[in-house]
């Protein structure tokens, strides 16, 4: 791209659902818009997106393709690339540089990128993320309804998380992992909902035929589970 003739009202950094929604609104407002998309959306590991009215169950990459086409219908442009710097110019605009050396100028920036899911160092979590290692019951609870679910305690919110997931299945196990012991009131709440608590550090997941089958503890014990929840 030439630095001399590539100037937009807005450069959108990130071509996920948020960036494309912004690009669509801006293009409809008759602004010139460029979306720079690295092609690595946060929800890429998931097979389907849920609770999105009119597109329930749509594969995430398909949703983004639809979004790009809709934004393009109003004149928004999308390029594949990664922004490596954005420098404020004396006139108040920005000079945006991509990894391939391309330079664009924009009056405004819309930054819709940078969120990364940081998973704990437990063997197998990363490989199963978005498949049977999940985080949101409203996004994925229905798909694992009535199945054995394990909650990996990573914060003081773990008890609340376990109680929430109990809405989708009556077989919930809370792995205390490295969290401090819960209080008496929390144990009473868990017992009232039939949620078991397992002590001991979780070291990995057991997988067979590309399906999660259990959670492995430091002592070698394996607790059968078909889905694991991390926060």
């Amino acid at each position: 791209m030439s630095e001399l003739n590539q100037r937009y009202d807005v450069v959108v950094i990130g071509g996920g659902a948020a960036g494309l929604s912004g690009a669509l609104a801006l293009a409809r407002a008759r602004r010139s818009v460029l979306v720079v998309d690295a092609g690595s959306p946060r929800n890429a590991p998931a097979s389907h997106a849920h609770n999105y009215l009119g597109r329930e169950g749509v594969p995430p990459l398909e949703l983004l393709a639809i979004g790009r086409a809709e934004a393009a219908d109003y004149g928004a442009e999308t390029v594949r690339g990664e922004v490596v710097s954005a420098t404020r110019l004396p006139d108040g605009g920005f000079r945006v540089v991509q990894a391939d050396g391309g330079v664009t100028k924009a009056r405004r920036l819309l930054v819709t990128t940078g969120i990364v899911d940081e998973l704990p160092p437990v063997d197998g979590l990363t490989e199963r993320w978005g498949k049977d290692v999940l985080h949101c019951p409203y996004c994925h609870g229905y798909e694992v309804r009535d199945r054995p679910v394990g909650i990996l305690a990573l914060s003081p919110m773990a008890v609340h998380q376990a109680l929430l997931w109990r809405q989708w299945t009556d077989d919930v196990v809370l792995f205390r992992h490295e969290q401090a012991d819960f209080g008496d009131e929390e144990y009473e709440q868990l017992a009232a909902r039939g949620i078991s608590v397992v002590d001991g550090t979780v070291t990995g997941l057991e997988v067979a035929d590309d399906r999660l089958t259990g959670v492995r503890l430091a002592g070698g014990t394996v607790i059968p589970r078909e889905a694991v929840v991390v926060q």
Side-chain angles (χ1 to χ4, degrees):
M1 291 185 291
S2 167
E3 185 172 349
L4 297 178
N5 58 24
Q6 292 296 322
R7 179 182 290 269
Y8 295 85
D9 289 325
V10 182
V11 166
V12 180
I13 303 175
L20 292 173
S21 295
L24 177 61
L26 288 163
R28 284 178 48 82
R30 306 187 72 181
R31 302 294 184 180
S32 57
V33 180
L34 175 69
V35 179
V36 183
D37 179 20
S40 54
R42 179 187 177 194
N43 63 351
S47 59
H48 299 87
H50 298 287
N51 301 320
Y52 197 91
L53 191 62
R55 296 290 181 184
E56 165 58 29
V58 63
L61 297 184
E62 180 181 327
L63 177 64
L64 297 184
I66 294 169
R68 286 191 294 270
E70 290 179 345
D73 285 343
Y74 292 95
E77 301 175 37
T78 299
V79 296
R80 179 62 60 88
E82 180 182 355
V83 172
V84 295
S85 71
T87 306
R88 190 80 172 188
L89 298 173
D91 65 3
F94 295 88
R95 181 177 184 268
V96 179
V97 180
Q98 296 182 45
D100 64 359
V103 178
T104 309
K105 291 182 179 180
R107 293 175 59 198
R108 297 287 187 271
L109 296 183
L110 178 59
V111 182
T112 58
T113 188
I115 294 180
V116 176
D117 294 299
E118 297 181 349
L119 300 177
V122 173
D123 183 36
L125 282 186
T126 300
E127 293 78 6
R128 306 306 302 175
W129 179 239
K131 301 178 179 68
D132 34 36
V133 174
L134 314 168
H135 74 292
C136 172
Y138 293 100
C139 298
H140 304 290
Y142 189 82
E143 280 61 49
V144 295
R145 64 195 183 279
D146 301 325
R147 290 162 59 186
V149 172
I151 312 295
L152 183 59
L154 299 173
S155 80
M157 289 293 292
V159 171
H160 170 76
Q161 211 173 9
L163 294 170
L164 193 61
W165 276 85
R166 179 61 178 78
Q167 177 67 24
W168 283 265
T169 176
D170 60 4
D171 189 352
V172 177
V173 169
L174 176 56
F175 294 92
R176 196 160 63 83
H177 192 44
E178 298 175 351
Q179 280 293 301
D181 202 5
F182 308 127
D184 292 341
E185 183 178 350
E186 292 174 310
Y187 275 113
E188 290 176 5
Q189 292 175 328
L190 294 168
R193 296 289 282 155
I195 298 171
S196 301
V197 177
V198 173
D199 294 330
T201 301
V202 173
T203 59
L205 304 182
E206 295 288 320
V207 178
D209 298 325
D210 197 31
R211 295 183 63 181
L212 176 66
T213 59
V215 174
R216 185 174 65 255
L217 302 177
T221 301
V222 175
I223 309 297
R225 297 289 92 184
E226 295 181 13
V228 168
V229 175
V230 297
Q231 188 174 18

